[in-house]
Amino acid sequence: MQINVTSLSELPDAARQLISHAGTSKIFVFYGDMGAGKTTLIKELAAALGVTEAVTSPTFSIVNEYIIPSGKAYHFDFYRLKKQSEALDMGYEEYFYSGNYCFIEWPEKIPDLLPEHYTRVSITALDDNRRQLVVENI
């Protein structure tokens, strides 16, 4: 599936489409250059799931936890990881296999640790306001 976003006002609809397309998958991995809009999209996904608190990038904490009506949602930013074993040390399996939503930025830092099935979102910045999202269920 491909979604073209031409303004920030279209992100809530794009988030709803992503959740619908994922079906029962609750693991989302986000690929895109720095500044492509991964965190901004994850904020909209969290809002669509019912998160009412401020959603921020977990760049320094690695993972943020949010409460949603159906449980929890976890937001990971693995950008600062030097090696995959750091994710092992933080107990990533408890999160990934919890049955809760997991939004993972910089999954290329943990390629061998990704679950067998997930929804892959590739974000390409076309210019300052336009983004192309390519979504596939793996």
Side-chain angles (χ1 to χ4, degrees):
M1 172 173 83
Q2 182 174 306
I3 302 171
N4 291 307
V5 177
T6 59
S7 72
L8 288 174
S9 65
E10 294 177 0
L11 280 178
D13 184 54
R16 287 189 293 274
Q17 288 181 57
L18 283 172
I19 292 167
S20 176
H21 182 76
T24 59
S25 175
K26 291 186 176 182
I27 307 291
F28 291 75
V29 299
F30 297 85
Y31 291 88
D33 293 337
M34 184 77 70
K38 295 179 293 293
T39 300
T40 302
L41 179 57
I42 290 169
K43 288 178 183 182
E44 290 299 334
L45 287 162
L49 292 171
V51 172
T52 58
E53 62 196 285
V55 174
T56 60
S57 176
T59 301
F60 295 101
S61 61
I62 308 292
V63 62
N64 288 344
E65 176 181 312
Y66 302 103
I67 303 300
I68 61 174
S70 63
K72 296 179 180 179
Y74 300 107
H75 178 188
F76 298 87
D77 185 336
F78 289 124
Y79 181 75
R80 294 179 61 234
L81 289 179
K82 302 285 187 252
K83 49 190 170 187
Q84 291 187 94
S85 62
E86 293 176 68
L88 287 167
D89 294 343
M90 68 170 281
Y92 83 95
E93 296 126 324
E94 291 180 40
Y95 299 103
F96 287 12
Y97 300 102
S98 67
N100 291 302
Y101 280 93
C102 292
F103 303 117
I104 304 164
E105 295 187 55
W106 301 102
E108 52 268 60
K109 296 280 191 159
I110 58 159
D112 301 324
L113 304 180
L114 293 175
E116 185 177 350
H117 300 288
Y118 54 86
T119 298
R120 177 188 173 112
V121 181
S122 298
I123 304 173
T124 303
L126 302 175
D127 60 34
D128 286 344
N129 297 313
R130 296 182 314 126
R131 301 292 187 267
Q132 181 182 71
L133 313 177
V134 176
V135 184
E136 58 185 319
N137 291 327
I138 307 290

